[in-house]
Amino acid sequence: MHVLVVHNRYSSAQPSGENRVVDEEVGLLRAAGHRVEVFERRSDDIATRSLLGKAAVPLLVPWNPAVRAELAARLRAERPDVVHVHNVFPLLSPAVLAACADAGVPAVATLHNYTQVCPPGTLQRDGRTCTECVGSAAALPAVRHGCYRNSRLATVPLAVSLSVNRRRWWSGVERFFCVSATQRDVLVRAGMPPGRLAVKHNFVPDPGARRADTGEHLLYLGRLAEPKGIRLLMAAWDEIAAAGGVGVPLVVAGAGPLERRVTAWAAGRDDVRYVGLLDPAESRRAVARSVAVVAPSMALETFGLVVAEGMAAGVPAVAAGHGAFVELVEDGVTGLLHRPGDAASLADRIRRITAEPTRNGEMGRAARRRYEQHFSPSVGLERLVEGYRTAIAGRSALARGGDTRTSRGDGDSR
């Protein structure tokens, strides 16, 4: 199969699970013998633009005509079987869908977040779940609240793009990949066409090594930002420390807007180690040495890569009991779920998962079995190619005069 992957890469200054997913899927497809090429823009390149060029970036968010022309020309010249769209913000824009239509090439899109129904894509405001824009054609609440970067002005391009391109997304994409059933349910309730929404979990490469014993630390691996729950974890850990600790340290790995606060909090402590950004090999080693990975996100996560990475290494998780985590973690079997936003509940689950090594080992082995069944590369490849074939068949049927896209069942690949 000939696939063209379309992606706007996130800034290299921040760890991006989405960039990793794209790169790993490209590698997976190529290893299976498919021809895969990439059409991309990089957010890092914004810094090299002139002042005028930087000022023009918000205008490109809803629509970038140059991208439409460039991509359409490439599609006509190369004739891929399918285009796989990932992130289009801020430099690509939904103009990529018009380019696919211009060239008559079917498109699929992975929905890594909630940008189809929420301008910043998080379904969160002021540390709480927010669905004010879900089902709203204009997304005016997001502008009023300044949901993107706490700025009304910065939110405007995202709200405009959501409003003017809503139907283009829904009509221009043959198959949407939701990365969890939880995400799919939210989008169906928001009015997205259920027949084109398929569940395709992100896969995780097999790390090759699994946890050999009960582990030597607890691990937070992710972005140091409020929505990810790092401040909540700090509060829970302080409660644990005040009561005498749990016998193993907490390792915090990552970068983000709360990095200074985390650095200051960890300084001079024996029970906390802040190690900054880790490269992929270091991350795998840190996961494999963990008693548990901790994912205390305040946001309704669409997936949870660190949880799946823990499963691959035979490591259980302590995660917030909402969003996709309730789908990834079977409470008491492959890990423990805590009450979202509740530091005392998080502290209790951390104590429990460290207090019983035998039970922890059983959960780790169950987590590995769940990984093999749902999140391994072989399963990921099967779901990916199945989605491509469905999109190609749908476009072929449309070309013959019959649109069957809304009659394929509910599209749920669970």
Side-chain angles (χ1 to χ4, degrees):
M1 199 174 292
H2 182 186
V3 183
L4 181 67
V5 172
V6 173
H7 182 50
N8 191 126
R9 299 188 71 83
Y10 291 86
S11 169
S12 59
Q14 302 290 350
S16 167
E18 194 168 324
N19 283 350
R20 284 181 48 206
V21 166
V22 173
D23 293 342
E24 288 170 354
E25 282 191 354
V26 168
L28 182 70
L29 287 163
R30 286 174 174 166
H34 300 287
R35 177 185 172 190
V36 185
E37 294 166 341
V38 179
F39 181 89
E40 68 178 15
R41 294 291 188 272
R42 296 174 177 266
S43 291
D44 287 345
D45 294 340
I46 295 174
T48 66
R49 290 178 170 231
S50 65
L51 287 177
L52 185 60
K54 291 176 182 176
V57 168
L59 301 177
L60 303 177
V61 171
W63 197 255
N64 189 330
V67 162
R68 176 180 183 175
E70 181 185 346
L71 179 56
R74 182 166 172 180
L75 292 174
R76 290 190 181 103
E78 299 181 5
R79 303 307 305 174
D81 297 307
V82 65
V83 170
H84 189 162
V85 180
H86 290 271
N87 176 49
V88 299
F89 173 80
L91 299 175
L92 286 171
S93 85
V96 300
L97 301 179
C100 293
D102 293 343
V105 178
V108 303
T110 295
L111 304 178
H112 295 273
N113 47 44
Y114 291 104
T115 52
Q116 298 294 319
V117 296
C118 167
T122 60
L123 290 184
Q124 188 180 52
R125 178 169 59 85
D126 297 332
R128 297 185 299 275
T129 299
C130 174
T131 58
E132 282 192 50
C133 290
V134 175
S136 168
L140 293 178
V143 176
R144 185 170 67 252
H145 298 304
C147 289
Y148 181 63
R149 295 185 175 179
N150 295 315
S151 167
R152 292 178 179 175
L153 186 61
T155 305
V156 167
L158 287 162
V160 170
S161 183
L162 187 154
S163 300
V164 302
N165 291 304
R166 182 185 180 96
R167 292 197 176 277
R168 183 179 298 280
W169 277 106
W170 294 9
S171 63
V173 176
E174 291 288 334
R175 197 73 161 169
F176 289 101
F177 291 138
C178 299
V179 295
S180 66
T182 302
Q183 180 196 30
R184 183 183 185 276
D185 291 343
V186 171
L187 296 175
V188 169
R189 290 197 300 271
M192 288 191 68
R196 275 179 260 167
L197 293 172
V199 176
K200 185 194 73 61
H201 296 119
N202 293 324
F203 82 91
V204 174
D206 194 316
R210 305 181 203 175
R211 188 177 66 176
D213 48 32
T214 56
E216 58 191 50
H217 57 238
L218 289 147
L219 177 67
Y220 174 92
L221 177 64
R223 192 161 185 262
L224 306 183
E226 187 72 35
K228 295 298 184 181
I230 182 62
R231 201 190 299 267
L232 179 73
L233 176 57
M234 291 161 64
W237 194 257
D238 284 341
E239 178 182 323
I240 289 169
V246 290
V248 293
L250 171 67
V251 172
V252 178
L258 294 181
E259 185 171 352
R260 287 187 179 181
R261 183 179 291 272
V262 171
T263 301
W265 174 72
R269 299 181 64 153
D270 295 330
D271 62 332
V272 180
R273 296 202 303 270
Y274 172 56
V275 296
L277 275 174
L278 301 179
D279 64 32
E282 291 171 332
S283 294
R284 288 192 295 271
R285 287 193 292 270
V287 170
R289 293 199 296 265
S290 299
V291 174
V293 295
V294 186
S297 183
M298 306 287 285
L300 292 174
E301 298 287 352
T302 55
F303 194 65
L305 273 177
V306 70
V307 172
E309 288 168 346
M311 290 179 174
V315 175
V318 173
H322 63 173
F325 292 137
V326 299
E327 186 177 336
L328 297 177
V329 179
E330 187 175 356
D331 194 26
V333 178
T334 63
L336 298 175
L337 297 173
H338 70 86
R339 288 190 297 275
D342 188 327
S345 176
L346 174 58
D348 174 73
R349 301 308 187 271
I350 290 174
R351 291 189 188 99
R352 284 173 53 188
I353 211 158
T354 55
E356 302 178 11
T358 300
R359 182 70 184 124
N360 183 291
E362 292 171 353
M363 287 192 288
R365 289 187 289 275
R368 172 67 192 192
R369 290 193 295 271
R370 182 160 174 77
Y371 159 77
E372 292 171 349
Q373 294 166 359
H374 297 281
F375 311 114
S376 66
S378 60
V379 174
L381 180 63
E382 179 183 350
R383 297 278 172 84
L384 196 57
V385 173
E386 176 188 351
Y388 290 163
R389 287 175 176 157
T390 300
I392 293 167
R395 177 53 61 94
S396 298
L398 184 61
R400 292 193 302 269
D403 187 352
T404 62
R405 291 176 296 177
T406 59
S407 60
R408 295 180 195 145
D410 67 1
D412 192 340
S413 300
R414 282 173 285 183

